[in-house]
Each structure stands twice: as C-alpha cells, then as structure tokens.
Amino acid sequence: MRKTHYSTVRKFFHNPFFKPSTKPRPFKAYSFVPFSPLAMLDPTILTIGGIVLGIAIIERILERWGVIDLVDQFAKVMRFILPVAFYSALFYFFATFIL
C-alpha cells in the first residue's frame, strides 16, 4: 500500500519537494593568459601613458616653432623619464593584475 503525502499550496511554494540529488562540484578553470586585455584600461596606466604622450606632443610643437634649445632640454629629460615611466607602468601592471 502506498503512503499518501498531503501538502498545502503555501507549504508547496515555500518548501518545494524537488531537491537536486547531486551537489554541484567546484570547477577549476585554468587560463594560459594570466591577465585580461581589458586590464590595460586601468586609470593609472592610462594616466601615465597620457602624460608621456602629452610631453611628446609638446616637444613636437616646440620643434615646429623653432625653439630648438628647449627641445634639446626636453629630449635630455625624456631620455631618462620615458624608460622609467615605461618600466614602472609595466611593473605596476604585472604586480596588480596577475592573479
């Protein structure tokens, strides 16, 4: 003889009978790329790039105006600043976005 189970509508909606028999297993995904390409849109990296680009544009404008002495001074300073800015931005990028 079968056992009959009675339930009210309220009990049915708040405590459904269907329960999954298996629990979801944790899924580990591995990526060959340790960072997202969208990570380059970080405000710090964009700011460093914008400052370097702005200085390069100012240098070109001064060169067109014929102020060669000032352009040479900019070139001497940028010979040091550009590599430092590039490597610091690269270090910041890898230190921040690799999981």
Side-chain angles (χ1 to χ4, degrees):
M1 192 167 177
R2 285 189 172 176
K3 186 176 181 183
T4 307
H5 181 65
Y6 293 103
S7 178
T8 62
V9 174
R10 181 176 294 170
K11 194 174 185 183
F12 176 76
F13 280 114
H14 290 295
N15 190 11
F17 289 107
F18 175 74
K19 292 182 183 176
S21 60
T22 59
K23 293 182 181 178
R25 296 181 200 159
F27 180 73
K28 291 184 181 181
Y30 296 101
S31 174
F32 292 111
V33 180
F35 55 85
S36 169
L38 295 177
M40 292 299 287
L41 296 177
D42 181 53
T44 305
I45 293 176
L46 289 177
T47 303
I48 292 172
I51 289 171
V52 170
L53 185 64
I55 291 173
I57 290 172
I58 289 172
E59 188 177 352
R60 291 292 178 182
I61 290 172
L62 290 174
E63 187 179 358
R64 269 197 200 157
W65 287 351
V67 190
I68 302 299
D69 295 335
L70 198 55
V71 171
D72 286 339
Q73 298 236 344
F74 260 104
K76 287 178 186 175
V77 171
M78 292 307 288
R79 204 171 290 147
F80 173 73
I81 290 178
L82 281 176
V84 169
F86 172 75
Y87 287 117
S88 63
L90 193 66
F91 176 76
Y92 173 80
F93 175 74
F94 284 117
T96 306
F97 295 107
I98 289 184
L99 299 175

